[in-house]
Amino acid sequence: SQKIEQNSEALNIQEGKTATLTCNYTNYSPAYLQWYRQDPGRGPVFLLLIRENEKEKRKERLKVTFDTTLKQSLFHITASQPADSATYLCAPLNRDDKIIFGKGTRLHILP
Amino acid sequence: NAGVTQTPKFQVLKTGQSMTLQCAQDMNHNSMYWYRQDPGMGLRLIYYSASEGTTDKGEVPNGYNVSRLNKREFSLRLESAAPSQTSVYFCASRVDRVGLQPQHFGDGTRLSIL
């Protein structure tokens, strides 16, 4: 069955450093991959989308990579700030629009 | 901009009671979705509506029914609530069922079944 794996443990990063979150998927080949941010008590909010033919996508301090050979996406936050603390969800997307969300990784940026 | 609005925000029910969760979006989106989110389980799709007048089952539809009342509104009904349905329920909308547009989520309904 299709499966998505994100870091199950919370990630603690010192302020100013780069945070790197991992999303691995198995048993399917998504055409696109989305990343969402979720704050406590709130719904997920879309951040970035990357296509299968794109190696890298950037938006301000955010960078996403997509390696279809490794079946992996990496999500980087550079110059991290305490306000970046949240849960981050990856969501691979098939061409038939089937979206499956990962369980998310909790990120804590320590001041 | 309101985006996706869910009501109520919190609810406590007794086993066997019924309840309808309401969702409305003001973005003129065609597709709408209902998810539940449980600790350690992530977001799981219950039902979705690709367009007004259509609904389809998702990953975990048992115990739920939905109604796409019009283009704006998509409700989720629990006919006979069970403790296993204690969860946070999220409604989402999207421009269309296919394509690159993201989903827009409401802030959830926290439901406890005693």
Side-chain angles (χ1 to χ4, degrees):
Chain A
S1 61
Q2 297 171 347
K3 191 176 178 183
I4 302 168
E5 292 183 356
Q6 294 189 251
N7 310 69
S8 57
E9 301 294 324
L11 193 60
N12 295 318
I13 300 294
Q14 203 67 38
E15 182 177 6
K17 301 292 185 184
T18 296
T20 298
L21 284 65
T22 304
C23 175
N24 295 301
Y25 56 90
T26 54
N27 296 329
Y28 70 128
S29 299
Y32 324 100
L33 194 144
Q34 301 178 344
W35 282 89
Y36 288 77
R37 168 183 172 141
Q38 186 174 21
D39 291 287
R42 306 298 298 273
V45 175
F46 171 76
L47 295 174
L48 279 171
L49 176 145
I50 187 166
R51 295 172 171 80
E52 62 179 341
N53 61 353
E54 296 177 315
K55 295 295 183 186
E56 181 180 297
K57 196 79 168 280
R58 290 176 184 262
K59 180 182 177 182
E60 298 171 352
R61 293 184 296 111
L62 308 180
K63 185 179 85 172
V64 172
T65 63
F66 192 9
D67 189 325
T68 54
T69 301
L70 291 179
K71 292 186 179 294
Q72 180 181 80
S73 175
L74 298 179
F75 177 83
H76 306 272
I77 305 175
T78 59
S80 59
Q81 304 166 1
D84 295 326
S85 298
T87 296
Y88 291 86
L89 310 174
C90 78
L93 181 65
N94 285 337
R95 286 188 177 83
D96 65 357
D97 191 46
K98 184 174 181 181
I99 303 175
I100 303 175
F101 284 87
K103 296 177 183 178
T105 297
R106 282 180 293 120
L107 175 65
H108 300 296
I109 304 301
L110 308 173
Chain B
N1 286 336
V4 178
T5 303
Q6 293 184 237
T7 54
K9 295 189 186 305
F10 303 92
Q11 185 70 48
V12 179
L13 293 178
K14 294 181 180 178
T15 298
Q17 287 185 317
S18 62
M19 164 128 199
T20 299
L21 279 60
Q22 306 287 351
C23 174
Q25 52 91 9
D26 63 1
M27 296 172 283
N28 201 35
H29 287 173
N30 287 311
S31 298
M32 297 185 74
Y33 306 79
W34 276 105
Y35 292 89
R36 60 178 290 174
Q37 188 175 41
D38 303 291
M41 297 296 292
L43 284 163
R44 291 183 292 169
L45 183 64
I46 304 171
Y47 271 93
Y48 69 98
S49 171
S51 60
E52 187 178 355
T54 68
T55 60
D56 285 287
K57 295 178 180 179
E59 181 186 356
V60 288
N62 291 345
Y64 305 95
N65 286 302
V66 290
S67 295
R68 183 74 183 267
L69 304 170
N70 47 56
K71 191 171 185 178
R72 290 187 65 247
E73 298 172 289
F74 188 37
S75 63
L76 179 72
R77 183 160 178 85
L78 287 71
E79 289 291 352
S80 179
S84 61
Q85 294 178 306
T86 293
S87 188
V88 182
Y89 291 85
F90 287 100
C91 177
S93 71
R94 195 168 179 226
V95 172
D96 284 299
R97 188 180 71 83
V98 294
L100 302 182
Q101 298 301 317
Q103 293 193 337
H104 297 259
F105 286 83
D107 281 336
T109 293
R110 283 142 190 86
L111 185 61
S112 293
I113 315 296
L114 304 178

